[in-house]
Amino acid sequence: MKEEWISQFIDDELTLDEKIAFVGTVHEDGPFREECLDLLRQEKRLREPPSRDVPMPALSPRPRRSLLSFRPLQWALVLLVAGVALVLARNLSPPAKEANVPYRFVVYQPGADRVEIAGTFTGWDRVSLKRSGNSGYWEIVLSLPPVEHRYSYVIDGERTMSDPTVPGRERDDFGGENSIIPPGGMA
Amino acid sequence: MGDFGSFYLRHRKELFHYLLRMTGDAALSEDLLQESFTRFLDRYGREDPTLPLLFTIARNALFDHWRKRRPLPSGDWSGETGGENPEEGVIVREEARAVLRALGTLPEDERDLLSLAVTGGLSYREIAAVSGLSEGNIKVRIHRARRKLRDLLREE
């Protein structure tokens, strides 16, 4: 009897003939059966997700370039630009911070069990929308600064879609589309 | 987001938990998760993404990280969440910490193969392709890892 059959059984890697031999051995061999049960119980612990949350980092397909790879001339240019920026920053007074305004996001998804929104204003973390009764609409009101926002909806944790009510769109890094709301919201 | 967006949403959880099982460090796993998907996009674009390729890239990113940081302190496998403030990051489930600690004491190759098998989605054939080992070798090593893990968890 091959001991590895226990792991192959757990991982669903046995052929049909091996399954027949495996089940026969489980019936006939007590210690083998106990080992199977031990490892199956262990597998339940092992396959439990180690964390409840899973981060959703923002991704960029653009090649990143290390500053360490810059040549001396490029470093000089970087320092020059930084110096000019510093002078300008000192001479300019900081812009007055504008107050947040409420943005209402509504989407029609009657067949969904869960609808979320992810955008620049959530750091691309997903935030759940609330179902609006039995209407099939989902909605959320967020208090956001009156600047340009980019976002998309996530349906049942798997499928993403842009906001069909917003004309502004852009291709995202994954071949899909994000919606764009201009500063101050939609007219 | 199209195909790659769906691929990302569907598999980031599996990849993150594989990395967490390999490192025991949530903050590092998050960095490697981002690095893996970014490398994928940079090198292969968004067309026809596959799980074995994603895991190959993630393992390379992880081994690159380890090569730069070696040697790892032997007693540093606490299963604790990374970062100074656990409230700010992903929280490792209390009941999973013993399993992560036990995984951390397995030889690296056995921890790798077992983590690939239990994280889901990869067959032995795909694990063989990802690891460069034969399927026969995979069967033996994964089972050996499971038995060692059982002994380690009994000692907890």
Side-chain angles (χ1 to χ4, degrees), chain B residues 86-103:
Chain B
E87 298 302 320
E88 292 176 358
V90 171
I91 308 296
V92 174
R93 292 165 54 250
E94 189 61 41
E95 56 270 38
R97 290 187 177 163
V99 175
L100 289 181
R101 274 195 299 273
L103 277 171

Side-chain angles (χ1 to χ4, degrees), chain A residues 58-75:
Chain A
L59 306 178
S60 167
R62 290 175 292 279
R64 290 150 298 160
R65 188 173 186 188
S66 166
L67 285 177
L68 294 175
S69 67
F70 277 25
R71 292 172 184 163
L73 190 60
Q74 289 169 312
W75 267 114

Side-chain angles (χ1 to χ4, degrees), chain A residues 99-110:
Chain A
N100 284 2
V101 294
Y103 284 75
R104 183 165 178 258
F105 297 91
V106 182
V107 62
Y108 183 67
Q109 282 293 319

Side-chain angles (χ1 to χ4, degrees), chain B residues 93-130:
Chain B
R93 292 165 54 250
E94 189 61 41
E95 56 270 38
R97 290 187 177 163
V99 175
L100 289 181
R101 274 195 299 273
L103 277 171
T105 59
L106 288 178
E108 186 181 299
D109 61 327
E110 292 178 5
R111 187 189 336 140
D112 178 34
L113 297 175
L114 186 57
S115 298
L116 286 170
V118 304
T119 299
L122 291 180
S123 66
Y124 282 8
R125 178 173 293 183
E126 289 171 323
I127 292 173
V130 167

Side-chain angles (χ1 to χ4, degrees), chain A residues 24-98:
Chain A
T25 308
V26 166
H27 274 284
E28 293 161 7
D29 186 336
F32 182 83
R33 181 168 57 246
E34 285 309 308
E35 179 158 12
C36 285
L37 289 170
D38 263 4
L39 292 181
L40 281 166
R41 291 188 195 102
Q42 171 178 293
E43 199 67 14
K44 282 187 71 178
R45 287 181 75 185
L46 190 54
R47 294 200 183 212
E48 277 289 307
S51 68
R52 291 184 186 86
D53 305 316
V54 176
M56 192 166 176
L59 306 178
S60 167
R62 290 175 292 279
R64 290 150 298 160
R65 188 173 186 188
S66 166
L67 285 177
L68 294 175
S69 67
F70 277 25
R71 292 172 184 163
L73 190 60
Q74 289 169 312
W75 267 114
L77 189 61
V78 167
L79 291 173
L80 180 65
V81 170
V84 170
L86 189 62
V87 169
L88 285 175
R90 282 185 175 168
N91 291 332
L92 292 174
S93 57
K97 191 178 179 184
E98 295 184 76

Side-chain angles (χ1 to χ4, degrees), chain A residues 3 7 11 13 35 38 42-43 46 49-51 54-58 60-61 126 160 172-174 176, chain B residues 1 4-5 8-9 12 17 21 30 34-35 38 42 46 90-91 93 118 123-124 143 146-147 150 154:
Chain A
E3 290 181 354
S7 275
D11 295 324
E13 291 279 346
E35 179 158 12
D38 263 4
Q42 171 178 293
E43 199 67 14
L46 190 54
S51 68
V54 176
M56 192 166 176
S60 167
R126 289 186 272 174
T160 62
D172 66 14
D173 293 337
F174 313 107
Chain B
M1 287 193 196
F4 195 88
Y8 170 67
L9 288 172
R12 77 193 160 88
H17 287 147
R21 287 181 175 110
E30 182 172 352
Q34 180 170 26
E35 177 66 19
T38 302
D42 283 349
R46 58 180 71 108
V90 171
I91 308 296
R93 292 165 54 250
V118 304
S123 66
Y124 282 8
H143 189 62
R146 278 202 172 95
R147 296 186 76 178
R150 178 188 57 187
R154 276 180 180 161

